[in-house]
Amino acid sequence: MITGFFHEWFLIFDERSDDMIKRENNKIKIEGMDVFELVEKYDTPLYCYSEKAISKQMKTIHSVMDSLREFHLGFALKANNNIHLINYMVKNGTWIDIVNKNEYLLAREGGTPPEKIVVNGNGKTKAFIREMIEEGVFSINIDSKEEYEVIREILREMDSPQGLPAFMLRVNPDVDPHTHPYISTGLKENKFGVQMDTARAILLSDNGLITGLHTHIGSNIYDIGAYQEAFETLLDLKKDFSRLNFINIGGGWGIDYEKNGKHIDLDAYTEHVLPILKQFDCPVMMEIGRFILGPSGVLLSKVLYKKVTEFKTFVVCDANMANMIRPALYNAYHHVKPLHVNSSDDEITADIVGGLCETGDRIAVNRDIEDVSTGDLLAILDTGAYGYSMASNYNAESRPAEILISDDECRLIRKRETVKDLLKKMKV
Amino acid sequence: MITGFFHEWFLIFDERSDDMIKRENNKIKIEGMDVFELVEKYDTPLYCYSEKAISKQMKTIHSVMDSLREFHLGFALKANNNIHLINYMVKNGTWIDIVNKNEYLLAREGGTPPEKIVVNGNGKTKAFIREMIEEGVFSINIDSKEEYEVIREILREMDSPQGLPAFMLRVNPDVDPHTHPYISTGLKENKFGVQMDTARAILLSDNGLITGLHTHIGSNIYDIGAYQEAFETLLDLKKDFSRLNFINIGGGWGIDYEKNGKHIDLDAYTEHVLPILKQFDCPVMMEIGRFILGPSGVLLSKVLYKKVTEFKTFVVCDANMANMIRPALYNAYHHVKPLHVNSSDDEITADIVGGLCETGDRIAVNRDIEDVSTGDLLAILDTGAYGYSMASNYNAESRPAEILISDDECRLIRKRETVKDLLKKMKV
């Protein structure tokens, strides 16, 4: 199969001006930095992020959402907890969404003031909630009636506390966002939030404690209709309780993983979803991870072997299910681009796999890519979110380094692990 | 649903003398240690391993395999890389199976001499192979004809090296072991080993370098027939090449995750598989991880909430997909036992989930368990293998502590992570 490949390659590298990776003057560059020099300096596997790309994604969100009366963009820390990335986003105005004490501390290390931190999650302990109240976070989003009771108990114990966070109720609107079941979070059988009837019951009995609503129907969503349905449900509820003066609509915007133009349709969002949000007539917050960081990160990997068998070709590389689990866990597609200075028409169909000891250790299956050999570089695209943050030390793999590129400068933002790091907690 | 539960509980805790957890004198004990005292001291989530259980599993393997002329039991380090567990196993005679430099160093830290280390994997770099030759490992198992060429190249460069490791060829027998596709490794479409025709071609052209064969058809296998088929294939090959004097048969013995008696049938193995292995008439090695450590480890977790909705009950606990990913990744079943000193007839049907921000974060779905409330302990059984070793810091979760219980003593073998550990590599 060699038809059409050069054309596609050409498209990716030279026409799509929004890509992080481009061929320039017989070099391959990531935001202006020579990719081979980066690899020479930092080795592979290597997570590279681009400030320019992050900024662009944030601006895209604002361009859609800023027509609302008051809009706050939040970053879902779980997508990537690197404090240097957090710092860049916070300096550019994002709030941070967290679920536990570690995430709170990382947000703080990243320079987030407590009043820009939103506390989510279905497993907040009493001690954690009390601490977050005392720290003065912006809001605590209540996941269940059981948690609501815990909060009431804390407030009774605190004896007329001052300057409380906003308490918001996470509503589960029972909407199918048509994404991977693991990251669909607003169906009635999902563990998150309270059903509408319970929400009404809590709000009726509640003497003004809860002043906002929260919902989050899932991640990597392309279905505008699902947002409409969820937010209309939320709107119905808000209309019945006039004290509700803040709406957190979660995140979930789908990105173009497959490089076929399939991503959330922001024109349709503007046309069909924004009018609903405007009817809330109160500040609106979003919590988004993937849409900001996904396309802003690339995993660079080295080819270790091209293994040709009677039945298949395997490209064995140093990216694997330890440093990038999404293909194994969600059967996720990530575009894989061999980085050759001189492109070729030779194409192979291959499984791109890691060197770990199980068949699930793969990056791509039956993928058509430009032919490669040992030592070649691969760029695994759209890996800025849920890449490093889900990495493990399976097969005793060191987790990769992370670098951040900004205005033709590049800095290490997380060092590569060594076996010493793996041993550290065992030295007891 | 309350029928029959007490009976089952009773069975688990009082009749199955081979279980790690037992009720004794109104206490719940893990190998004689009071479970509540352990949790008081080490907190949850907590991985607990039992030397007695490890020893028992190793003895079971030897009781089957020792009728072979010469048998070596190897431990697949990827199942759990704790150096203290490795040390216990190595002191009791196991060899260690590794795939990369980090695993080699951990094996060495665990007290494994190089000559008891077997090097596997489909992504061994040239530098790594050369280093393993120089370190004097027992064997290097060749995964592909491409790797074979790399080894020949190294040997040419080394200029008449002495005391070489044994070189064995990993054969892919194209056998379906009927296990999860991710851990089925001996099908022709899997990335491991060489097909029979390629194996013959390499062995024919090879001037005596390769002196053994290796195969590994997968993990958690209950199908005796698959072993028969694979080893008969291997036997055919061995008969044609008289210089082959060592066979590494991999591992894969399935364990009783579901507590319904479904595990590998060792009587059938003895009857149908051993006769084939005896025909090899040479030393045989096994590499096993799950069968040794799986049933020798328990993950203790605390209930954070019992969340009752109109549609489902959720038991939210501090075990989650960050510290135990098998249910999310493989849809794996792990038995979950609430640890109550006084058992009750009240049973609930619940999803047992973690506190992380996605629906995939679950330990068990629609499971019938004794009713629980906040603060109760859960034992998640058979988590000694592929538990900690696959753990991540997703949602910035600290990885748990690990303890090892031996003859009524208990020691910490891996400290719980703190946020300081998470930050360490970001302080650049």
Side-chain angles (χ1 to χ4, degrees), chain A residues 124 182 184 305 328 359 421 425, chain B residues 124 182 184 305 328 359 421:
Chain A
K124 310 179 206 70
Y182 281 6
S184 147
Y305 288 95
T359 298
D421 297 308
K425 308 304 280 187
Chain B
K124 308 179 207 71
Y182 281 7
S184 146
Y305 288 95
T359 298
D421 297 309

Side-chain angles (χ1 to χ4, degrees), chain B residues 174-200:
Chain B
D174 193 21
V175 166
D176 186 352
H178 301 108
T179 184
H180 189 285
Y182 281 7
I183 52 177
S184 146
T185 54
L187 283 162
K188 66 176 187 279
E189 62 266 33
N190 299 154
K191 66 181 180 177
F192 299 102
V194 297
Q195 307 299 319
M196 293 305 292
D197 288 351
T198 308
R200 281 180 197 280

Side-chain angles (χ1 to χ4, degrees), chain A residues 375-390:
Chain A
D376 284 357
L377 288 185
L378 305 175
I380 305 167
L381 304 186
D382 299 308
T383 44
Y386 306 103
Y388 196 102
S389 74
M390 304 186 87

Side-chain angles (χ1 to χ4, degrees), chain A residues 100-160:
Chain A
N100 59 29
K101 182 73 182 291
N102 282 0
E103 288 200 339
Y104 178 77
L105 294 171
L106 292 174
R108 297 286 292 124
E109 284 278 339
T112 324
E115 64 271 20
K116 290 188 174 177
I117 291 176
V118 170
V119 183
N120 276 311
N122 68 318
K124 310 179 206 70
T125 62
K126 187 177 171 183
F128 172 59
I129 294 171
R130 182 166 180 144
E131 205 170 350
M132 290 301 99
I133 292 173
E134 288 164 352
E135 292 277 319
V137 296
F138 173 75
S139 77
I140 294 177
N141 296 341
I142 303 166
D143 190 74
S144 64
K145 62 180 190 297
E146 292 80 4
E147 186 187 318
Y148 173 70
E149 294 306 328
V150 167
I151 289 172
R152 296 226 71 108
E153 198 178 296
I154 293 170
L155 295 178
R156 279 194 301 274
E157 288 166 11
M158 286 181 81
D159 193 20
S160 51

Side-chain angles (χ1 to χ4, degrees), chain B residues 50-92:
Chain B
S50 154
E51 282 191 1
K52 207 170 109 190
I54 295 169
S55 168
K56 183 175 158 291
Q57 293 301 101
M58 286 172 59
K59 278 180 189 148
T60 299
I61 298 171
H62 280 293
S63 74
V64 173
M65 304 300 286
D66 279 354
S67 66
L68 295 174
R69 205 182 82 189
E70 185 180 329
F71 171 69
H72 301 284
L73 174 56
F75 171 68
L77 189 137
K78 72 176 188 295
N80 191 315
N81 63 32
N82 194 300
I83 56 173
H84 306 280
L85 297 175
I86 293 167
N87 187 253
Y88 179 75
M89 288 182 277
V90 167
K91 278 195 305 192
N92 284 278

